[in-house]
Structures are given as C-alpha cells and as structure tokens.
Amino acid sequence: MNAQPLFLLVEDNRDDAELTREALKEADPRVTLEWARDGEECLEYLRSDKPEPDLILLDLNMPRMDGREALREIKGNEAWRHIPVVILTTSEAEADVMESYRHFANAYMVKPITIDDLIDIMTQLSTFWLNSFVRRPAAI
C-alpha cells in the first residue's frame, strides 16, 4: 500500500470523474485520485513508473478499450492481478455483473444518482480497502 493511498479511476466522462474526485475528497481526504479516460490509458498507467494504485475504479462503457476488456487485461496479468478492481458503472445488467465477477472483479457497484450517495460509496470503499484489517500482498 502506498504511504498516501491512491485510487485509479477509469472513466471516460469528465463530469463523472470530477464528481467522483469531489466525493472521494469529502469521504477520505487522504486518498489521491488518478484519472484514466479509458482502458488503454489505464493499462498505460499500470505499465508506467507511476505508483501502483491501491484500488482501481473501473467503468464498463468507454470508447477505445472498454472496462470489460481492461478488466480481463488487468486480472490476466500476473503483475497486476492482485490490485483490487471495483466496477463502478451505470449498467445494472445481470450479464455485466456476471461477466465482471467471472473475470475476477472484486466488487460491482452501480453509480448512484446523488452526490451524497456517491460520497457514501467512496466512504465505504475507502473504509474497507484502506482499513488496517484488510491485508493485501505487496507489489509483485
């Protein structure tokens, strides 16, 4: 885990990204949020020398490389598969839920409508994944 917690948001919608940034800042000001606009940018980030994220928040529906393909790439790569990936999307389709878990997503969450609900989700994610009781392996 990073000295300062780091989440990577993979989201093509700038407004949703800004709302998520604000909600996370309200929920847990310790967390830094990096932003990738699609799956390709996510993989570029993971291949770079930048710090490894403690958690990836992944939208499903994006141009170029969507979240489904990015999830398969992340969980199929031995160097990255230990990074928790939470699907955060508008899709409530059971097929998307099943496919996400089939490809080893750690959680599936539907984007809320209100900012208060988004703050609540960010609080829950931060509390769970950054809690000292949750043990994660060191980077491989």
Side-chain angles (χ1 to χ4, degrees):
M1 186 174 303
N2 296 304
Q4 181 171 349
L6 173 67
F7 289 2
L8 175 61
L9 174 65
V10 187
E11 167 64 62
D12 64 315
N13 184 299
R14 181 179 299 277
D15 292 337
D16 284 356
E18 277 306 310
L19 283 173
T20 303
R21 183 179 305 283
E22 290 303 314
L24 187 56
K25 186 186 301 182
E26 178 76 24
D28 190 339
R30 300 173 303 149
V31 180
T32 298
L33 185 70
E34 291 288 335
W35 178 37
R37 289 162 185 81
D38 58 40
E40 287 186 18
E41 281 191 19
C42 173
L43 298 182
E44 287 170 16
Y45 180 95
L46 293 173
R47 288 183 192 111
S48 75
D49 292 333
K50 294 178 182 177
E52 181 178 280
D54 296 300
L55 180 73
I56 298 173
L57 300 170
L58 183 63
D59 188 19
L60 290 181
N61 302 309
M62 298 176 290
R64 292 197 318 161
M65 179 187 287
D66 71 10
R68 295 162 190 84
E69 189 176 347
L71 178 63
R72 287 190 298 271
E73 292 284 330
I74 293 164
K75 293 301 183 175
N77 185 310
E78 190 173 333
W80 304 330
R81 70 174 51 130
H82 66 280
I83 303 170
V85 177
V86 173
I87 304 301
L88 185 61
T89 186
T90 57
S91 175
E92 296 186 48
E94 187 63 23
D96 285 336
V97 175
M98 290 301 297
E99 182 180 3
S100 296
Y101 283 114
R102 200 172 298 123
H103 291 285
F104 308 106
N106 296 88
Y108 190 103
M109 304 177 93
V110 176
K111 289 178 186 175
I113 295 172
T114 70
I115 186 69
D116 289 338
D117 288 342
L118 186 57
I119 292 169
D120 186 44
I121 285 174
M122 292 300 118
T123 300
Q124 290 178 44
L125 288 172
S126 176
T127 299
F128 182 80
W129 288 108
L130 303 177
N131 184 312
S132 62
F133 296 112
V134 174
R135 290 269 309 171
R136 290 193 37 234
I140 297 173

